Amino acid sequence: MQKTILIVHGMRKGKLNETLEQFVHELFNDTSIDYDVAFLESEEQSLDTVIEATVEQGYQAVNLMPLLLFTASHYYEDIADQMKVWTEQYSQVHFELAEPLGTHPAMADWVSKQLVRYEHEIDDTTGIVILAHGNARFDEPDVALTRLAEQHPNDQFQCYPSMVYGKLKFKDTLLPLAEQYDKLLVIPFFFYDGYLVNKTKRQIAEMMLPTEIVYTTAINFDPVLKTIILARIASCQEARHVSNTAELV
């Protein structure tokens, strides 16, 4: 028996987790994937609680699917490090940890689609910025976002990476761009237009940049996420098959 646990960041209190879980169910309501949703921040539906229940139900193969865009502290410390504990605690269960979603090639296609949706806002005097969360202690998000900005399929436009946290933080990267372009089209590379996106917009407004700022929508649980998650599940299954085959040799 195999189960996939979709891991969402979430909040410890409030109704946001219910909204996020509903988004996930809408993505998968027409699939046969056996899955549960767990939250890194939750008083009732934590990752530890969901894994314990999954093991008690008799599952011997568990795919851990982080709904995170990049590898950073949550991926390494809250999931990967903990997986070592679960592997020892539940030795009869085979755990596979999937890669984050933001590094999948389909996300570059999503960026290009955003450029098409907002092409009426773009001309030769427009700078295009992909804005993500980032991390002050891990450089993987900076590297991955820079690669995404360089590799999106629509080579008609140059994109610039910018972060809320880390070496590419927007408080340092946006001013030079604002002095170079008459308008900045900012693509929020976040799962949904929530608290952090709105907070960042307010902080950017407070910078009083000498240019017009236009924002696209965030990912907002676009169907592309379903495509990527299914691909990540398939990769977990393939890795498990290779592992099982190696054990037989």
Side-chain angles (χ1 to χ4, degrees), residues 30-142:
D30 63 345
T31 72
S32 59
I33 300 296
D34 188 355
Y35 74 92
D36 274 330
V37 178
F39 296 94
L40 295 178
E41 296 286 343
S42 173
E43 293 183 341
E44 300 176 352
Q45 204 169 332
S46 69
L47 183 52
D48 275 324
T49 299
V50 174
I51 286 179
E52 182 180 359
T54 299
V55 174
E56 289 178 351
Q57 292 165 12
Y59 288 91
Q60 296 180 328
V62 177
N63 301 322
L64 299 176
M65 185 69 50
L67 268 62
L68 301 171
L69 292 173
F70 303 120
T71 53
S73 54
H74 288 310
Y75 187 91
Y76 290 121
E77 299 168 358
D78 297 332
I79 304 175
D81 286 349
Q82 285 302 110
M83 191 175 79
K84 299 174 185 176
V85 176
W86 300 320
T87 299
E88 293 181 1
Q89 184 176 357
Y90 308 113
S91 57
Q92 76 279 21
V93 179
H94 186 121
F95 292 94
E96 284 289 343
L97 175 58
E99 296 180 21
L101 308 186
T103 56
H104 192 278
M107 291 309 306
D109 295 329
W110 177 81
V111 170
S112 288
K113 289 178 182 177
Q114 287 292 80
L115 295 179
V116 172
R117 293 187 187 111
Y118 288 84
E119 61 182 356
H120 60 283
E121 296 284 359
I122 302 173
D123 58 28
D124 293 339
T125 65
T126 305
I128 299 167
V129 178
I130 307 177
L131 176 68
H133 186 281
N135 190 286
R137 295 190 293 117
F138 294 85
D139 63 357
E140 285 95 330
D142 292 341

